[in-house]
Amino acid sequence: MEQPYRYKMPLADSRDAPKFRQSEPSEVRRFIQRMESLFEHAGITNDKERKRRILEYVDAQTEQEWLGFDSYGEGSSWKAFVKEIQDSYPEAVDNTGSVASLDRICREHARLSRSDTGEIHSLMRKFRAEAKKLANVMGNGSLVDKLMGCFTPTFADIVEERLIAKYGHYREPTRNRHKDNKYELSEVMTVVATLIDGAFGRSARDGQVERAESAQRQVKSEESEEKIAHLQDTIVTMGKQVGSIQSAMQAIQAGQLEMRNSLLPTGRNNGRVEGFNTMPSATQG
């Protein structure tokens, strides 16, 4: 009977090989899933062999740590080994999401205006994925507030105006929603996507807002340039002041030398003192 074709495991240092690094603990679950898929395709079913081979694809520090797990020993299964690994990285195995992760996403994508198309799309992809995990932890209203907080005040105002135009005011009988939960997160994302992709078109107010934001950026740029120029002037002035101080110190030193020389008896040490460290010898004269 012909044996089924088996894939070869990729070399550990090849570009396409799965890799796990100590600096990326949140990737451990995905890494193990990829390794198990490769083991299956390569026909590696022996638990001992799997435990040995997976260590080829991790960094040196991780290898030493995993070798120290009790489940790496002879009497433990591959399943037990995987469980011990995952238990050691709680940030990776927690698939319920976290408010901290959502806050980090918002910090990475802060004060976005309508012109920041690519970054807004990136924000919504990440935000949607994390919000889905937090559906049973955070209320819809809180999620909407966090998303809206990622935008500039002017763009957030435009989004809210378009939400009212598209879905109606939250107090209308057809909606009858609480003020802290005016719109669904999906509704907000739909409006934001259509705004940045131009599906709504641009109103006169949009143009005014964009011009205002552009003017604000210009003002901030000019203020920054002015501060830099002022700092450069200050440095130049300080340099001149230091030069003046050095010149004054030299003049004082020259005056002190002249005074010392004038007090020396004629003919003693040729009647001159050459510097502060040159004093008349007690054996001279």
Side-chain angles (χ1 to χ4, degrees):
M1 180 178 178
E2 184 179 355
Q3 294 293 323
Y5 176 76
R6 298 293 188 185
Y7 292 99
K8 290 183 178 180
M9 292 289 291
L11 296 175
D13 58 353
S14 66
R15 185 180 61 181
D16 298 329
K19 297 177 179 64
F20 178 74
R21 299 178 178 85
Q22 189 82 356
S23 58
E24 300 174 340
S26 61
E27 292 294 312
V28 70
R29 173 180 286 269
R30 183 167 174 267
F31 168 72
I32 291 174
Q33 289 174 341
R34 288 193 63 192
M35 290 301 301
E36 288 183 328
S37 177
L38 288 174
F39 288 153
E40 183 178 347
H41 284 87
I44 300 175
T45 58
N46 181 271
D47 286 2
K48 181 178 179 181
E49 178 71 4
R50 285 191 172 196
K51 286 188 281 187
R52 183 184 67 80
R53 294 297 298 271
I54 196 172
L55 296 182
E56 298 175 7
Y57 298 85
V58 303
D59 60 38
Q61 179 63 34
T62 301
E63 179 182 5
Q64 293 304 310
E65 291 176 1
W66 291 8
L67 280 170
F69 287 160
D70 293 338
S71 56
Y72 187 79
E74 293 284 347
S76 298
S77 66
W78 164 255
K79 186 176 180 180
F81 183 55
V82 168
K83 184 179 185 303
E84 189 168 4
I85 292 173
Q86 292 179 340
D87 288 345
S88 299
Y89 299 92
E91 64 269 55
V93 300
D94 183 5
N95 201 34
T96 60
S98 70
V99 176
S101 296
L102 200 62
D103 288 340
R104 176 181 52 79
I105 292 170
C106 292
R107 286 194 301 271
E108 292 173 353
H109 303 277
R111 296 191 62 79
L112 302 180
S113 65
R114 184 173 180 174
S115 59
D116 298 318
T117 305
E119 197 167 350
I120 291 176
H121 275 299
S122 176
L123 164 67
M124 292 202 297
R125 287 194 303 270
K126 297 175 184 177
F127 196 98
R128 184 184 290 109
E130 197 66 26
K132 187 175 181 180
K133 300 174 187 177
L134 290 167
N136 297 325
V137 179
M138 289 184 67
N140 175 80
S142 297
L143 291 170
V144 168
D145 288 343
K146 280 192 175 294
L147 179 61
M148 293 289 281
C150 297
F151 307 134
T152 61
T154 47
F155 184 48
D157 287 344
I158 291 176
V159 172
E160 187 155 5
E161 288 179 1
R162 295 304 172 88
L163 283 166
I164 293 173
K166 184 175 179 64
Y167 300 107
H169 196 278
Y170 72 94
R171 289 181 177 176
E172 292 180 4
T174 53
R175 292 188 65 81
N176 192 26
R177 300 176 68 96
H178 191 272
K179 65 178 181 178
D180 295 330
N181 188 26
K182 299 177 184 178
Y183 301 97
E184 292 295 325
L185 180 62
S186 59
E187 294 174 339
V188 176
M189 289 194 163
T190 297
V191 166
V192 171
T194 51
L195 274 170
I196 62 176
D197 292 336
F200 272 139
R202 295 179 181 269
S203 65
R205 169 171 164 73
D206 294 346
Q208 292 173 354
V209 168
E210 289 178 356
R211 285 191 294 271
E213 290 183 341
S214 177
Q216 288 175 355
R217 286 193 294 268
Q218 180 65 27
V219 168
K220 289 181 179 179
S221 176
E222 291 175 354
E223 288 177 349
S224 297
E225 291 176 359
E226 184 177 346
K227 288 179 181 179
I228 292 172
H230 178 68
L231 181 59
Q232 290 173 337
D233 291 342
T234 301
I235 293 172
V236 171
T237 301
M238 290 177 66
K240 292 179 179 179
Q241 290 174 345
V242 170
S244 299
I245 293 171
Q246 289 176 338
S247 298
M249 290 296 295
Q250 291 172 355
I252 292 171
Q253 290 173 353
Q256 289 175 334
L257 285 173
E258 187 65 27
M259 182 178 294
R260 287 189 178 194
N261 287 327
S262 67
L263 295 174
L264 285 175
T266 304
R268 192 172 191 178
N269 194 24
N270 296 326
R272 301 292 298 175
V273 176
E274 300 300 331
F276 288 118
N277 294 327
T278 304
M279 299 295 291
S281 174
T283 60
Q284 291 181 344

